[in-house]
Amino acid sequence: MTDSVADGMDGNIGVLGGGISGLTFANLVGRAEVLEKEWTAGGLMRSVKEDGYTFDLGSHILFSRNKETLDFMLGLLGQNVITHRRNTKIFYKGIKVKYPFENGLGDLPKEEAMGCFNDYKTAYEKREKGELKAPQNFKEWMRYRFGKGITEKYLYPYNRKIWDYPPEKMDIFWVEGRVPQPPLDDVRKAAMGEESEGYTHQLNFHYPAKGGIQAVTDALAVKVGKRLKTGFEVKKVRREGAKWVVVGPETRVYDRLVTTMHINDFVRLYDGVPKEVREAAGKLKWNSIHLVMLGLGKAKLNDIHWAYIPDSDILPNRISFPSNFSPNAAPPGYSSVLAETTFAPGGEKAWMKPDEIVERTVEGLHRIGVLGRKDVSFTKLVTCRYAYVVYDLDYQENMKVIEAFAKTEGITLLGRFSEFRYYNSDRCIESAMEKAKLFY
Ligand SMILES: Cc1cc2nc3c(=O)[nH]c(=O)nc-3n(C[C@H](O)[C@H](O)[C@H](O)COP(=O)(O)OP(=O)(O)OC[C@H]3O[C@@H](n4cnc5c(N)ncnc54)[C@H](O)[C@@H]3O)c2cc1C
């Protein structure tokens, strides 16, 4: 993989935002300059380092189905990498069920496991015979694909919690391919207590030995070098003839424009956006996340990497154990937990006070036996405004309007919140690679 390409075209390119998408793009296109509002680049792939702990902005691991992409990520880390075999659970009614749930049915009481399998089989067979109505929304899709048991015990409550949006109001075009469909026999074996694995492209994952997930974006930032301007918050963008004028702490003029900012923010600061485009962007759904970072005065809590918590009585939807990703993530003799609570903007959890978020997180994790309250010796709360894109039923219609506008203006949308897709970092990298080709 080449670091940067020879400039086949004239003209300089402005890239708004220095997360993994903007940095990868600028790494490939030598005449691109990245404007990043924070003093540290990396976006969602930054890490908080405090009191000997390293926490990411939400649990991040490195994996990809695509070897070229994975090689690119790992190439950035060199020797600074640890490879793990996933040990991931769903905390369900006091039982640690192996993830994915359908492969962990054997951890449930026999009767519940067989109930889930029978429902899975019924859905499977009816679907094959064409006896099931095609699902119209995400809730219907869960029943259609996984049957009643797995849906009601895990899929529905967990998805209701992570999106903080009703699955019955979510589209399904994105789930096929993303949520794998295990063979009937695997689910039968799982229910009988035999070992089977699902979601296998992520079964082995990688993580930086030092520096948290930010080690990846730090390495990219070094390659981009002086073409990365941090502390540059873009406030206004306007078109002047064939050029773009970008106003921030200073004014920059570009021949081409790539934006990785959240599409809503971009639309707000771009001069002369038509009303229908502003309205379409305003209708897009997304959620935010509270991250409670906990340090514990115990050398080892468990050997789990991360766990999902579908129970709505417990605040976090997912927890991870950074000190199990890398021993460098916590001081010697200590361990760490990162608890994630996603929430809809303006919803109930958006208004919780910081102390209440930390307290309810610790209390909940104590109650389900993850940690002992008395062991908690470090707490920190970070809230990120943008976490997940939510594919509501109007998503595709709204995106058509926005994409058509970007195309007419000649602006390249790149990355998770600009293309507005549920991209992991591997897809951000791939999209940057694909788009960079248009500039060679
Ligand atoms: C909880 C959680 C867990 C995740 N886990 C994984 C995982 O395990 N593996 C994985 O591969 N991916 C994971 N992801 C996804 C991954 O974090 C994202 O896909 C990726 O970081 C998005 O990169 P990006 O560059 O597109 O966007 P961002 O990282 O959001 O970058 C956009 C950049 O634009 C900057 N910006 C915004 N406004 C302005 C402005 N006005 N002026 C200048 N700059 C501006 C921002 O500061 C930011 O740096 C996870 C995401 C979340 C939320």
Side-chain angles (χ1 to χ4, degrees):
M1 164 71 30
T2 43
D3 284 350
S4 63
V5 293
D7 300 341
M9 271 168 137
D10 289 329
N12 58 350
I13 304 161
V15 179
L16 313 186
I20 187 100
S21 302
L23 292 173
T24 303
F25 180 89
N27 179 43
L28 297 169
V29 182
R31 63 205 156 88
E33 176 177 71
V34 180
L35 306 177
E36 167 54 49
K37 74 170 173 180
E38 303 294 341
W39 289 103
T40 307
L44 265 177
M45 290 182 76
R46 282 173 299 152
S47 308
V48 172
K49 289 160 199 138
E50 224 173 282
D51 285 6
Y53 292 101
T54 304
F55 293 99
D56 297 334
L57 298 180
S59 170
H60 277 74
I61 57 166
L62 298 173
F63 67 98
S64 181
R65 285 188 171 98
N66 181 331
K67 188 174 177 312
E68 188 193 359
T69 314
L70 191 61
D71 287 351
F72 176 81
M73 291 174 175
L74 298 182
L76 291 166
L77 293 175
Q79 298 298 309
N80 182 28
V81 70
I82 303 179
T83 300
H84 292 285
R85 187 179 167 92
R86 179 184 72 202
N87 179 17
T88 307
K89 304 289 179 192
I90 293 138
F91 289 174
Y92 169 75
K93 292 189 179 167
I95 307 167
K96 292 186 179 65
V97 179
K98 179 180 163 169
Y99 170 85
F101 197 82
E102 57 278 14
N103 292 87
L105 292 179
D107 293 324
L108 297 177
K110 192 96 203 131
E111 210 171 300
E112 270 191 77
M114 287 319 290
C116 285
F117 168 65
N118 287 331
D119 290 347
Y120 187 88
K121 185 165 175 264
T122 306
Y124 194 99
E125 288 169 353
K126 283 194 169 174
R127 215 171 47 237
E128 294 288 294
K129 287 187 205 149
E131 287 173 13
L132 281 188
K133 186 173 138 284
Q136 301 300 309
N137 60 53
F138 191 26
K139 183 182 180 189
E140 288 180 8
W141 180 89
M142 294 175 205
R143 285 281 290 251
Y144 179 83
R145 277 279 161 207
F146 288 89
K148 183 172 181 282
I150 295 175
T151 298
E152 288 182 358
K153 288 179 201 305
Y154 167 60
L155 280 179
Y156 186 83
Y158 184 72
N159 279 288
R160 182 67 186 83
K161 205 172 163 187
I162 188 183
W163 303 109
D164 204 6
Y165 196 78
E168 47 275 39
K169 293 187 178 169
M170 288 176 71
D171 208 332
I172 48 171
F173 68 92
W174 59 281
V175 269
E176 292 291 351
R178 186 161 188 125
V179 183
Q181 166 78 24
L184 193 55
D185 204 43
D186 278 13
V187 182
R188 184 191 59 78
K189 281 186 192 155
M192 307 294 284
E194 283 179 46
E195 277 286 305
S196 74
E197 298 292 352
Y199 216 18
T200 48
H201 63 284
Q202 194 212 53
L203 184 58
N204 296 304
F205 70 90
H206 311 276
Y207 190 77
K210 287 191 180 148
I213 203 69
Q214 193 182 311
V216 175
T217 45
D218 278 353
L220 268 172
V222 167
K223 284 171 180 279
V224 177
K226 290 205 174 95
R227 291 182 292 118
L228 166 65
K229 309 268 175 247
T230 56
F232 194 118
E233 178 168 2
V234 176
K235 301 263 194 196
K236 283 264 164 236
V237 180
R238 65 174 187 276
R239 191 79 190 260
E240 275 186 14
K243 309 256 182 212
W244 276 276
V245 178
V246 176
V247 183
E250 52 189 270
T251 299
R252 320 283 296 171
V253 180
Y254 300 106
D255 298 301
R256 309 279 298 269
L257 195 72
V258 176
T259 174
T260 74
M261 292 170 54
H262 193 294
I263 193 67
N264 276 359
D265 293 339
F266 180 73
V267 159
R268 250 195 302 275
L269 56 75
Y270 192 80
D271 201 34
V273 176
K275 186 164 170 271
E276 68 273 16
V277 178
R278 269 187 279 123
E279 283 176 357
K283 284 186 208 151
L284 293 174
K285 303 282 186 296
W286 42 273
N287 69 20
S288 308
I289 192 164
H290 295 306
L291 299 162
V292 176
M293 302 167 178
L294 302 171
L296 293 119
K298 256 188 141 181
K300 189 130 183 97
L301 272 188
N302 55 46
D303 57 1
I304 298 171
H305 293 114
W306 69 91
Y308 302 89
I309 309 175
D311 186 345
S312 59
D313 277 351
I314 306 293
L315 187 65
N317 51 285
R318 183 169 74 161
I319 50 173
S320 60
F321 302 91
S323 48
N324 290 343
F325 285 33
S326 166
N328 299 308
Y334 290 77
S335 51
S336 57
V337 178
L338 174 60
E340 302 172 12
T341 300
T342 41
F343 62 95
E348 196 190 315
K349 292 176 196 161
W351 303 110
M352 285 174 73
K353 296 211 165 60
D355 287 354
E356 189 192 353
I357 298 165
V358 174
E359 167 52 27
R360 274 192 56 194
T361 298
V362 172
E363 179 279 322
L365 298 186
H366 176 89
R367 189 152 36 105
I368 60 173
V370 170
L371 49 78
R373 206 180 238 293
K374 63 177 180 8
D375 294 324
V376 178
S377 57
F378 172 94
T379 63
K380 185 178 175 78
L381 169 70
V382 175
T383 296
C384 297
R385 182 163 159 76
Y386 302 133
Y388 292 93
V389 165
V390 177
Y391 289 119
D392 73 318
L393 293 171
D394 297 328
Y395 169 88
Q396 299 197 74
E397 209 176 296
N398 290 322
M399 281 311 290
K400 258 190 222 150
V401 177
I402 295 163
E403 283 165 356
F405 167 72
K407 196 169 173 201
T408 315
E409 288 288 297
I411 296 165
T412 302
L413 306 180
L414 171 66
R416 179 165 168 121
F417 297 111
S418 186
E419 291 179 65
F420 216 71
R421 298 219 161 90
Y422 183 8
Y423 279 173
N424 276 325
S425 64
D426 61 335
R427 278 300 295 135
C428 292
I429 290 168
E430 285 157 16
S431 184
M433 287 172 170
E434 283 155 24
K435 290 189 170 149
K437 285 185 192 144
L438 307 173
F439 290 78
Y440 289 175

